[in-house]
Amino acid sequence: EAEVAQSPRYKITEKSQAVAFWCDPISGHATLYWYRQILGQGPELLVQFQDESVVDDSQLPKDRFSAERLKGVDSTLKIQPAELGDSAMYLCASSKHPTKYEQYFGPGTRLTVT
Amino acid sequence: AQKITQTQPGMFVQEKEAVTLDCTYDTSDQSYGLFWYKQPSSGEMIFLIYQGSYDEQNATEGRYSLNFQKARKSANLVISASQLGDSAMYFCAMRALNSGGYQKVTFGTGTKLQVIP
């Protein structure tokens, strides 16, 4: 069964350092989502791509976060510089069509900023 | 704006018993959808069940059923015959289409379910 891949699974970084996460959606899925999940809360959408275009980044802290999906396939989420409050689980999800409700989630990257 | 409220931070249930996890929502949209996801301690989000706002019958998927009461704006998850493997966080979520026609999903804060042997 096809799955969403994410790496790394765990990342520890010092504050002010740069960090990057990678996501490879299920093949053929045009829509890709990055969520941030702070401990004890539900996931919050950071950015949504349709193919290579950003369609929603209203909750992305653009002064330090950036996301790209250059060829409309895999995606990278970057934080520079990392802050203590960025410690969270970063989840990637994909869906076949932007209006289809089925989202398939990857295993997530757990980030700890020290 | 959409809002999901889960008022039960934690629940206990005896193995083989049924349990109801509460979810209320707020939206001004006429067309929307409601989900439930399970998140084990390993972290991945597992889709359980979906209910569209125009669906006339309550959704069911195996041991999971969604008690959808549109007038009350509630979408409670019922798990029948609880199993030890059901111990996890459960998130209620709502989808709506934004002005660009793309779906946006809003999650609640979750309920931690623990199944007791």
Side-chain angles (χ1 to χ4, degrees):
Chain A
E1 183 174 298
E3 296 178 341
V4 176
Q6 286 189 252
S7 67
R9 292 293 309 276
Y10 303 92
K11 180 71 178 178
I12 300 174
T13 191
E14 294 182 348
K15 64 179 181 179
S16 79
Q17 296 298 304
V19 64
F21 315 127
W22 177 78
C23 172
D24 191 14
I26 294 172
S27 178
H29 280 199
T31 310
L32 186 147
Y33 309 82
W34 282 102
Y35 290 90
R36 176 173 61 186
Q37 184 179 19
I38 295 170
L39 187 65
Q41 299 182 18
E44 175 192 31
L45 179 71
L46 290 175
V47 62
Q48 179 178 345
F49 288 92
Q50 180 61 28
D51 299 310
E52 66 276 7
S53 300
V54 173
V55 298
D56 188 346
D57 63 356
S58 56
Q59 301 301 311
L60 188 72
K62 298 181 187 64
D63 57 335
R64 297 184 301 108
F65 285 65
S66 64
E68 61 183 15
R69 193 184 183 199
L70 292 176
K71 295 183 179 179
V73 181
D74 58 339
S75 175
T76 302
L77 178 69
K78 296 179 181 176
I79 307 175
Q80 182 173 17
E83 296 181 352
L84 295 177
D86 296 332
S87 294
M89 174 78 89
Y90 290 83
L91 293 162
C92 179
S94 70
S95 64
K96 198 167 187 178
H97 190 274
T99 62
K100 294 289 285 183
Y101 67 81
E102 299 99 334
Q103 287 187 59
Y104 298 86
F105 282 82
T109 296
R110 193 175 297 276
L111 173 68
T112 301
V113 182
T114 62
Chain B
Q2 286 74 35
K3 185 176 180 181
I4 293 284
T5 303
Q6 294 181 255
T7 58
Q8 305 156 312
M11 291 278 288
F12 289 92
V13 64
Q14 204 76 35
E15 192 178 7
K16 300 180 185 178
E17 296 293 311
V19 62
T20 298
L21 305 184
D22 295 341
C23 173
T24 58
Y25 62 91
D26 191 22
T27 182
S28 55
D29 292 343
Q30 296 301 308
S31 177
Y32 52 90
L34 296 149
F35 308 79
W36 279 90
Y37 282 89
K38 172 183 178 181
Q39 187 177 42
S41 57
S42 52
E44 75 274 25
M45 298 286 283
I46 302 168
F47 168 78
L48 296 178
I49 197 166
Y50 173 81
Q51 177 89 39
S53 58
Y54 292 116
D55 294 342
E56 294 186 351
Q57 292 192 329
N58 286 344
T60 60
E61 290 285 350
R63 295 186 299 110
Y64 304 107
S65 61
L66 199 153
N67 184 3
F68 181 47
Q69 298 189 45
K70 197 170 182 177
R72 294 186 175 184
K73 293 190 174 180
S74 74
N76 298 339
L77 177 69
V78 180
I79 305 175
S80 63
S82 297
Q83 302 172 357
L84 295 178
D86 294 335
S87 294
M89 284 290 290
Y90 287 81
F91 290 95
C92 181
M94 179 167 58
R95 75 182 286 254
L97 297 183
N98 63 20
S99 56
Y102 299 101
Q103 78 160 358
K104 182 164 185 175
V105 179
T106 303
F107 287 82
T109 53
T111 295
K112 184 173 184 178
L113 178 66
Q114 295 185 63
V115 180
I116 305 166

